[in-house]
Amino acid sequence: MEKRRILIVEDSPTMRQLLVFALRRLKNVEIVEAQDGMDGLRKVSSDHFDLALIDINMPVMDGLKLISLIRGDDSLLKIPIVVITTEGAKEDRERALSLGANEYLTKPIQANKVLSVARGLLKID
Amino acid sequence: MSDDRSNIFDRQEEFLGIFKKGAEFTRELLTENERLRRKILGVEDQQHEAAQNPDDWEKLRVELIGTIANLKEENRSFRERLVESEEENRKFADRYVEIEEENNNLANLYVASYQLHSTLDVDEVLKIVIEIVINLIGAEVFAVYLLDGKNEELRVVAAEGVPPSEIPNCPLGKGSLGRAVAATETTCWDATRSDDYTEPIVCIPLLIEKRPIGAIAIFSLLQQKEGFTPLDHELFNVLGGHAATALFAARLYGQSERKLNTIQGFLDLLTQ
């Protein structure tokens, strides 16, 4: 079975490590990390990904800008996007979802929630 | 005259046809009658035999009742085992969820301590402390203090949610924060928000061998965070110990680096 590739775009190394720890429990996945929106855009444009986890507040390019660029590119249109952020307000959630995010998770993150959402979007057990 | 005769013959033929059909029907009736008669005789014989051996009937009846009782017992036993299996299954599922949660918690604690000891730069350690408090605990406004031993004062060295200048320093042993740090005990007050930056909702003293070197004070939580979980209390312990040693080690390293540079400068001057 082909490996599923997951991109984590998050400026906090602590959060990245935590997400990697959680997602490693999924079978047959390869995880790639990006430390800001620009790095994320470079990686998502140059390689195939089955899922992207994106933080909102990041230096260089924020997560919302990255989502709008991904959704504006026909070749990247179908990548499922999960937003992971500290912003818990309803309007922030609606904005991210209207830009094309598939799921919206708020910090502090719960590994089992991340896993369940990732499993659902990757359609794996 | 000839017409009358042919008419009579036709009627004769017709009558014979009807008679033949009647005869055929009668034969069929007789055959069916014979078949039924034999069947009745067979049943009568069976009844007769049964009536002659009532013990056999009783024996058969007892056997059947026994078999039914056994089957009922077996059924009951299977049902009991099914209920037990379902209960066991439920316990395993609950245990699995608990272990998963424990696993997640351990991962959080591991990541927190790993990150805290991943650098010897004071600013980097402070940045990691802030990341942990935001991302793992879910605090919105908080400050990190270091103890100025000479003046016995907790000085704000970093803050999140408000500029550090808005948060006052705190004398050790005075006010809620100062007293909690002096008592070297993590303290949680019964609130989720405080706009008074001298009255935190949580105080985590940073301790090395029970000696305070600073503190983390939380003033409010993220909108979606409703309260503290057992994991948060574990994280308070990790921060209280590991953040303290990480900050202490980073400060010592910084001081030794500065001393080394000074000595190196002297040596360079002497050897020039």
Side-chain angles (χ1 to χ4, degrees):
Chain A
M1 193 182 144
E2 206 177 313
K3 272 196 171 179
R4 303 300 187 90
R5 303 188 80 237
I6 303 174
L7 178 65
I8 298 172
V9 191
E10 163 71 70
D11 61 319
S12 156
T14 311
M15 272 301 291
R16 284 207 303 272
Q17 193 182 18
L18 208 59
L19 290 170
V20 169
F21 257 64
L23 294 167
R24 262 194 209 150
R25 282 192 230 164
L26 297 175
K27 283 179 190 165
N28 217 22
V29 295
E30 186 184 338
I31 301 161
V32 176
E33 298 174 46
Q35 59 190 10
D36 58 53
M38 190 57 83
D39 190 19
L41 184 63
R42 253 195 310 271
K43 283 175 176 157
V44 81
S45 307
S46 61
D47 221 332
H48 167 79
F49 286 98
D50 299 289
L51 178 66
L53 277 72
I54 301 175
D55 182 23
I56 297 286
N57 300 316
M58 287 186 291
V60 189
M61 180 196 289
D62 70 41
L64 292 176
K65 177 77 179 162
L66 176 61
I67 293 169
S68 63
L69 288 171
I70 289 174
R71 289 300 182 234
D73 185 330
D74 287 346
S75 63
L76 305 174
L77 205 57
K78 287 184 180 170
I79 299 176
I81 295 175
V82 180
V83 168
I84 296 182
T85 177
T86 51
E87 311 301 331
K90 194 181 165 195
E91 50 270 29
D92 294 317
R93 175 186 290 268
E94 281 168 0
R95 190 160 172 231
L97 294 176
S98 71
L99 281 171
N102 299 71
E103 290 282 350
Y104 191 90
L105 302 178
T106 51
K107 295 176 186 176
I109 67 151
Q110 290 168 316
N112 50 358
K113 183 74 185 162
V114 174
L115 273 176
S116 144
V117 165
R119 280 192 184 113
L121 290 171
L122 290 170
K123 297 183 176 67
I124 53 174
D125 292 332
Chain B
M1 181 74 179
S2 62
D3 284 349
D4 289 344
R5 282 186 68 182
S6 87
N7 202 13
I8 286 168
F9 283 129
D10 288 346
R11 287 184 64 188
Q12 183 189 354
E13 285 294 318
E14 194 182 331
F15 177 75
L16 277 172
I18 291 168
F19 182 78
K20 277 179 187 169
K21 278 184 185 171
E24 202 177 318
F25 180 63
T26 308
R27 264 197 306 276
E28 279 175 17
L29 278 177
L30 284 170
T31 312
E32 181 64 16
N33 189 30
E34 183 60 23
R35 195 182 66 78
L36 289 171
R37 197 178 64 80
R38 281 183 189 155
K39 199 172 175 182
I40 289 166
L41 279 174
V43 171
E44 278 176 353
D45 284 348
Q46 281 175 358
Q47 281 182 342
H48 185 66
E49 279 174 26
Q52 279 182 338
N53 300 307
D55 291 347
D56 287 351
W57 279 103
E58 185 57 26
K59 197 177 160 189
L60 188 63
R61 195 178 69 85
V62 170
E63 271 176 23
L64 283 172
I65 288 171
T67 309
I68 290 168
N70 285 343
L71 285 171
K72 274 186 179 170
E73 177 57 29
E74 211 169 307
N75 192 332
R76 194 190 55 76
S77 160
F78 278 134
R79 277 175 188 277
E80 272 180 14
R81 279 168 61 186
L82 182 70
V83 170
E84 278 170 20
S85 299
E86 279 175 349
E87 177 67 13
E88 207 163 309
N89 236 348
R90 198 185 53 74
K91 278 183 188 164
F92 276 128
D94 288 349
R95 187 82 191 111
Y96 179 77
V97 170
E98 275 174 27
I99 290 170
E100 273 285 291
E101 203 177 318
E102 190 79 10
N103 233 345
N104 296 335
N105 293 352
L106 286 172
N108 281 17
L109 297 173
Y110 171 79
V111 169
S113 57
Y114 177 89
Q115 289 292 334
L116 283 169
H117 296 293
S118 65
T119 179
L120 281 170
D121 182 273
V122 175
D123 291 338
E124 277 296 311
V125 176
L126 284 171
K127 199 175 141 197
I128 291 163
V129 169
I130 288 170
E131 279 184 9
I132 291 169
V133 179
I134 297 173
N135 294 309
L136 301 191
I137 294 174
E140 187 182 31
V141 179
F142 59 92
V144 184
Y145 304 77
L146 283 179
L147 183 67
D148 176 355
K150 283 180 193 166
N151 301 314
E152 293 276 288
E153 187 179 53
L154 291 160
R155 291 198 169 170
V156 178
V157 289
E160 185 66 26
V162 289
S165 57
E166 282 191 26
I167 300 177
N169 295 334
C170 173
L172 188 67
K174 292 191 177 161
S176 306
L177 177 64
R179 282 196 297 275
V181 176
T184 68
E185 274 178 17
T186 296
T187 311
C188 297
W189 286 272
D190 193 19
T192 53
R193 176 167 207 96
S194 166
D195 294 322
D196 177 354
Y197 297 140
T198 61
E199 297 286 333
I201 59 168
V202 177
C203 168
I204 308 159
L206 303 178
L207 306 171
I208 292 179
E209 292 178 349
K210 297 212 169 185
R211 193 167 54 83
I213 66 142
I216 298 167
I218 299 174
F219 299 102
S220 70
L221 301 176
L222 291 170
Q223 182 182 345
Q224 62 272 17
K225 175 98 179 175
E226 289 169 353
F228 294 114
T229 62
L231 173 64
D232 293 326
H233 292 281
E234 294 285 342
L235 282 166
F236 295 161
N237 290 337
V238 167
L239 281 169
H242 290 250
T245 48
L247 279 167
F248 191 72
R251 282 167 84 188
L252 281 181
Y253 181 76
Q255 284 167 9
S256 66
E257 277 287 286
R258 277 196 296 278
K259 277 183 184 164
L260 190 69
N261 286 339
T262 311
I263 293 166
Q264 189 63 51
F266 276 125
L267 285 172
D268 288 346
L269 276 174
L270 289 169
T271 53
Q272 269 175 5

